[in-house]
Amino acid sequence: MIFDKHIARQAAKVLLQINAIKLSPQEPFTWASGWKSPIYCDNRIILSFPPIRNYVREEMAKFIEQHYGKPDAIAGVATGAIGIGMLVAEYLGLPFIYVRPEAKGHGRQNQIEGFIESGQNVVVVEDLISTGKSSLNAVKALKEANVNVKGMVAIFTYGFDIAKANFEAADVKLQTLSNYENLLIEAAETNYITENQLETLSAWNNNPSEWNAS
Protein backbone atom coordinates (compact mmCIF):
# COMPACT_ATOMS: atom_id res chain seq x y z
CA MET A 1 0.00 0.00 0.00
CA ILE A 2 1.29 3.47 -0.90
CA PHE A 3 1.31 6.39 1.54
CA ASP A 4 -0.76 8.60 -0.76
CA LYS A 5 -1.38 8.87 -4.54
CA HIS A 6 0.04 12.39 -4.81
CA ILE A 7 3.16 11.41 -2.87
CA ALA A 8 3.54 8.25 -4.98
CA ARG A 9 3.50 10.27 -8.21
CA GLN A 10 5.87 12.93 -6.86
CA ALA A 11 8.28 10.31 -5.54
CA ALA A 12 8.25 8.48 -8.89
CA LYS A 13 8.96 11.76 -10.65
CA VAL A 14 12.05 12.59 -8.58
CA LEU A 15 13.37 9.01 -8.72
CA LEU A 16 13.24 9.17 -12.51
CA GLN A 17 14.82 12.62 -12.56
CA ILE A 18 17.93 11.55 -10.67
CA ASN A 19 18.13 8.15 -12.41
CA ALA A 20 17.56 6.23 -9.19
CA ILE A 21 15.10 4.37 -11.41
CA LYS A 22 16.07 3.59 -15.00
CA LEU A 23 13.64 2.21 -17.56
CA SER A 24 15.13 0.34 -20.51
CA PRO A 25 12.56 -1.92 -22.22
CA GLN A 26 14.70 -2.44 -25.34
CA GLU A 27 17.95 -3.24 -23.50
CA PRO A 28 16.90 -4.96 -20.29
CA PHE A 29 19.02 -5.32 -17.18
CA THR A 30 19.93 -8.66 -15.58
CA TRP A 31 19.22 -8.93 -11.88
CA ALA A 32 21.29 -10.98 -9.45
CA SER A 33 18.47 -13.54 -9.50
CA GLY A 34 19.00 -13.98 -13.23
CA TRP A 35 15.71 -12.31 -14.14
CA LYS A 36 15.71 -10.04 -17.17
CA SER A 37 14.19 -6.70 -16.30
CA PRO A 38 13.32 -3.48 -18.18
CA ILE A 39 13.74 -1.52 -14.94
CA TYR A 40 16.59 -1.02 -12.52
CA CYS A 41 16.19 0.73 -9.19
CA ASP A 42 19.09 1.95 -7.04
CA ASN A 43 17.67 4.16 -4.31
CA ARG A 44 21.08 4.69 -2.71
CA ILE A 45 21.56 7.44 -5.32
CA ILE A 46 19.01 9.47 -3.34
CA LEU A 47 21.64 10.11 -0.67
CA SER A 48 23.72 12.13 -3.15
CA PHE A 49 20.92 14.66 -3.76
CA PRO A 50 20.17 16.62 -0.56
CA PRO A 51 16.75 18.02 -1.64
CA ILE A 52 15.57 14.54 -2.69
CA ARG A 53 16.88 12.73 0.37
CA ASN A 54 15.28 15.38 2.59
CA TYR A 55 11.96 14.90 0.78
CA VAL A 56 12.10 11.12 1.22
CA ARG A 57 13.22 11.43 4.84
CA GLU A 58 10.45 13.84 5.78
CA GLU A 59 7.63 11.97 4.01
CA MET A 60 8.70 8.69 5.62
CA ALA A 61 9.11 10.26 9.05
CA LYS A 62 5.73 12.02 8.91
CA PHE A 63 4.01 8.83 7.81
CA ILE A 64 5.60 6.82 10.62
CA GLU A 65 4.62 9.41 13.22
CA GLN A 66 1.03 9.61 11.93
CA HIS A 67 0.50 5.84 11.77
CA TYR A 68 2.75 4.46 14.51
CA GLY A 69 3.38 7.37 16.83
CA LYS A 70 6.95 7.37 18.13
CA PRO A 71 8.41 3.85 18.18
CA ASP A 72 11.38 3.15 20.43
CA ALA A 73 13.73 2.96 17.43
CA ILE A 74 13.99 2.90 13.66
CA ALA A 75 15.55 -0.20 12.09
CA GLY A 76 17.20 -0.06 8.68
CA VAL A 77 17.76 -3.08 6.45
CA ALA A 78 21.41 -3.41 5.43
CA THR A 79 22.86 -2.20 3.28
CA GLY A 80 20.56 -0.20 1.03
CA ALA A 81 18.38 1.29 3.76
CA ILE A 82 21.04 2.16 6.32
CA GLY A 83 21.47 5.72 5.03
CA ILE A 84 17.82 6.65 4.63
CA GLY A 85 16.85 4.79 7.81
CA MET A 86 19.34 6.78 9.84
CA LEU A 87 18.05 10.04 8.33
CA VAL A 88 14.47 9.11 9.26
CA ALA A 89 15.55 8.24 12.80
CA GLU A 90 17.41 11.54 13.10
CA TYR A 91 14.39 13.51 11.88
CA LEU A 92 12.21 11.80 14.49
CA GLY A 93 14.84 12.08 17.23
CA LEU A 94 14.91 8.30 17.67
CA PRO A 95 17.64 5.69 18.14
CA PHE A 96 18.72 3.82 15.02
CA ILE A 97 19.72 0.21 14.50
CA TYR A 98 20.30 -1.83 11.37
CA VAL A 99 19.93 -5.48 10.50
CA ARG A 100 22.48 -7.47 8.51
CA PRO A 101 21.44 -10.27 6.12
CA GLU A 102 23.14 -12.67 8.54
CA ALA A 103 25.20 -12.54 11.72
CA LYS A 104 28.85 -11.55 11.41
CA GLY A 105 31.33 -14.41 11.53
CA HIS A 106 33.69 -12.56 13.85
CA GLY A 107 33.73 -10.14 16.79
CA ARG A 108 30.42 -10.08 18.65
CA GLN A 109 28.75 -11.94 15.75
CA ASN A 110 25.87 -9.48 15.65
CA GLN A 111 23.11 -9.54 13.07
CA ILE A 112 21.43 -6.53 14.65
CA GLU A 113 23.82 -3.59 15.00
CA GLY A 114 23.09 -0.92 17.57
CA PHE A 115 21.34 -0.91 20.94
CA ILE A 116 17.81 -2.28 21.26
CA GLU A 117 16.14 -3.87 24.27
CA SER A 118 13.82 -6.85 24.36
CA GLY A 119 10.18 -5.78 24.08
CA GLN A 120 10.86 -2.42 22.43
CA ASN A 121 8.92 -1.26 19.37
CA VAL A 122 10.53 -0.56 16.00
CA VAL A 123 9.43 0.47 12.52
CA VAL A 124 11.61 -1.02 9.80
CA VAL A 125 12.82 1.17 6.92
CA GLU A 126 13.67 -0.44 3.58
CA ASP A 127 14.77 1.08 0.27
CA LEU A 128 13.32 -1.38 -2.24
CA ILE A 129 10.88 -4.30 -2.21
CA SER A 130 11.12 -6.98 -4.89
CA THR A 131 10.06 -10.40 -3.55
CA GLY A 132 10.34 -9.18 0.04
CA LYS A 133 12.60 -12.07 1.07
CA SER A 134 15.56 -10.01 2.34
CA SER A 135 13.27 -7.46 4.01
CA LEU A 136 11.36 -10.14 5.88
CA ASN A 137 14.63 -11.82 6.85
CA ALA A 138 15.43 -8.64 8.78
CA VAL A 139 12.02 -8.72 10.42
CA LYS A 140 12.60 -12.35 11.42
CA ALA A 141 15.91 -11.43 13.08
CA LEU A 142 14.25 -8.63 15.03
CA LYS A 143 11.42 -10.85 16.20
CA GLU A 144 13.90 -13.53 17.28
CA ALA A 145 15.52 -10.82 19.43
CA ASN A 146 12.07 -10.21 21.01
CA VAL A 147 11.74 -6.83 19.31
CA ASN A 148 8.19 -5.79 18.40
CA VAL A 149 8.00 -4.86 14.69
CA LYS A 150 5.13 -2.40 14.22
CA GLY A 151 5.45 -2.32 10.43
CA MET A 152 7.72 -1.55 7.50
CA VAL A 153 8.00 1.49 5.24
CA ALA A 154 9.93 1.45 1.97
CA ILE A 155 10.79 3.88 -0.78
CA PHE A 156 9.65 1.76 -3.71
CA THR A 157 8.04 -1.59 -4.51
CA TYR A 158 7.70 -3.44 -7.79
CA GLY A 159 4.31 -4.68 -6.56
CA PHE A 160 4.93 -8.35 -7.32
CA ASP A 161 2.22 -10.77 -6.22
CA ILE A 162 4.86 -12.92 -4.53
CA ALA A 163 5.89 -9.98 -2.33
CA LYS A 164 2.29 -9.35 -1.29
CA ALA A 165 1.89 -13.02 -0.43
CA ASN A 166 5.16 -13.08 1.53
CA PHE A 167 4.25 -10.05 3.63
CA GLU A 168 0.76 -11.38 4.29
CA ALA A 169 2.17 -14.76 5.34
CA ALA A 170 4.60 -13.02 7.71
CA ASP A 171 1.82 -10.77 9.03
CA VAL A 172 3.91 -7.65 8.39
CA LYS A 173 2.28 -4.40 7.33
CA LEU A 174 4.10 -2.74 4.40
CA GLN A 175 3.59 0.81 3.14
CA THR A 176 5.66 2.47 0.43
CA LEU A 177 6.44 5.95 -0.79
CA SER A 178 5.82 4.91 -4.40
CA ASN A 179 5.23 1.79 -6.47
CA TYR A 180 5.49 0.40 -9.99
CA GLU A 181 1.92 1.31 -10.93
CA ASN A 182 2.37 5.00 -10.14
CA LEU A 183 5.83 4.99 -11.71
CA LEU A 184 4.35 3.88 -15.06
CA ILE A 185 1.58 6.47 -14.85
CA GLU A 186 4.11 9.23 -14.21
CA ALA A 187 6.50 8.00 -16.92
CA ALA A 188 3.74 7.77 -19.52
CA GLU A 189 2.13 11.14 -18.72
CA THR A 190 5.48 12.94 -18.88
CA ASN A 191 6.47 11.17 -22.14
CA TYR A 192 9.40 9.48 -20.43
CA ILE A 193 8.23 6.31 -22.17
CA THR A 194 6.18 5.62 -25.31
CA GLU A 195 2.88 3.73 -25.44
CA ASN A 196 4.65 0.63 -26.79
CA GLN A 197 7.22 0.80 -23.99
CA LEU A 198 4.39 1.12 -21.48
CA GLU A 199 2.90 -2.13 -22.79
CA THR A 200 6.28 -3.86 -22.47
CA LEU A 201 6.81 -2.60 -18.95
CA SER A 202 3.31 -3.68 -17.90
CA ALA A 203 3.81 -7.15 -19.38
CA TRP A 204 7.04 -7.61 -17.46
CA ASN A 205 5.43 -6.74 -14.14
CA ASN A 206 2.69 -9.32 -14.70
CA ASN A 207 5.19 -12.17 -15.06
CA PRO A 208 8.76 -10.99 -14.26
CA SER A 209 10.39 -14.41 -13.83
CA GLU A 210 9.34 -15.57 -17.31
CA TRP A 211 9.54 -12.27 -19.16
CA ASN A 212 11.66 -12.05 -22.30
CA ALA A 213 12.52 -8.75 -23.97
CA SER A 214 12.09 -10.24 -27.44
Side-chain angles (χ1 to χ4, degrees):
M1 182 182 296
I2 54 172
F3 293 2
D4 170 89
K5 286 184 178 180
H6 173 73
I7 292 172
R9 288 287 299 276
Q10 179 62 23
K13 180 179 179 180
V14 298
L15 292 175
L16 287 169
Q17 285 176 343
I18 63 174
N19 286 322
I21 291 179
K22 293 184 179 181
L23 300 176
S24 181
Q26 278 67 47
E27 297 180 17
F29 305 95
T30 301
W31 286 3
S33 62
W35 287 6
K36 295 293 182 181
S37 169
I39 177 174
Y40 193 83
C41 181
D42 181 3
N43 287 325
R44 288 168 293 192
I45 293 173
I46 290 169
L47 300 175
S48 299
F49 295 85
I52 307 304
R53 75 180 184 219
N54 288 342
Y55 170 75
V56 171
R57 174 193 67 172
E58 290 171 19
E59 291 297 346
M60 281 190 148
K62 286 188 290 186
F63 183 88
I64 289 170
E65 199 161 28
Q66 289 168 2
H67 289 78
Y68 298 107
K70 282 282 187 80
D72 296 302
I74 296 296
V77 181
T79 60
I82 291 177
I84 196 65
M86 185 177 67
L87 289 169
V88 170
E90 182 181 32
Y91 187 88
L92 291 171
L94 294 174
F96 175 72
I97 61 174
Y98 70 87
V99 187
R100 297 174 178 273
E102 57 187 20
K104 289 192 299 183
H106 60 280
R108 293 190 297 167
Q109 300 182 332
N110 292 338
Q111 183 171 5
I112 300 171
E113 297 287 3
F115 178 78
I116 189 78
E117 293 183 322
S118 175
Q120 287 193 310
N121 297 319
V122 303
V123 173
V124 180
V125 172
E126 180 63 290
D127 69 323
L128 176 65
I129 305 293
S130 52
T131 65
K133 184 178 178 181
S134 59
S135 306
L136 291 171
N137 181 58
V139 171
K140 180 174 179 286
L142 290 163
K143 288 184 175 180
E144 287 175 349
N146 296 315
V147 174
N148 182 27
V149 177
K150 304 292 288 182
M152 181 181 294
V153 296
I155 298 172
F156 187 80
T157 178
Y158 293 113
F160 296 148
D161 289 338
I162 187 173
K164 295 174 186 175
N166 286 340
F167 274 89
E168 286 176 4
D171 193 26
V172 175
K173 186 181 293 185
L174 170 69
Q175 286 118 339
T176 64
L177 200 63
S178 192
N179 62 2
Y180 194 76
E181 178 185 357
N182 281 278
L183 172 74
L184 293 191
I185 293 171
E186 179 65 26
E189 289 190 1
T190 57
N191 297 317
Y192 188 94
I193 55 173
T194 66
E195 188 173 336
N196 287 339
Q197 289 174 326
L198 176 60
E199 291 178 5
T200 299
L201 289 157
S202 298
W204 169 78
N205 191 250
N206 290 332
N207 191 12
S209 63
E210 302 296 328
W211 182 79
N212 192 313
S214 60

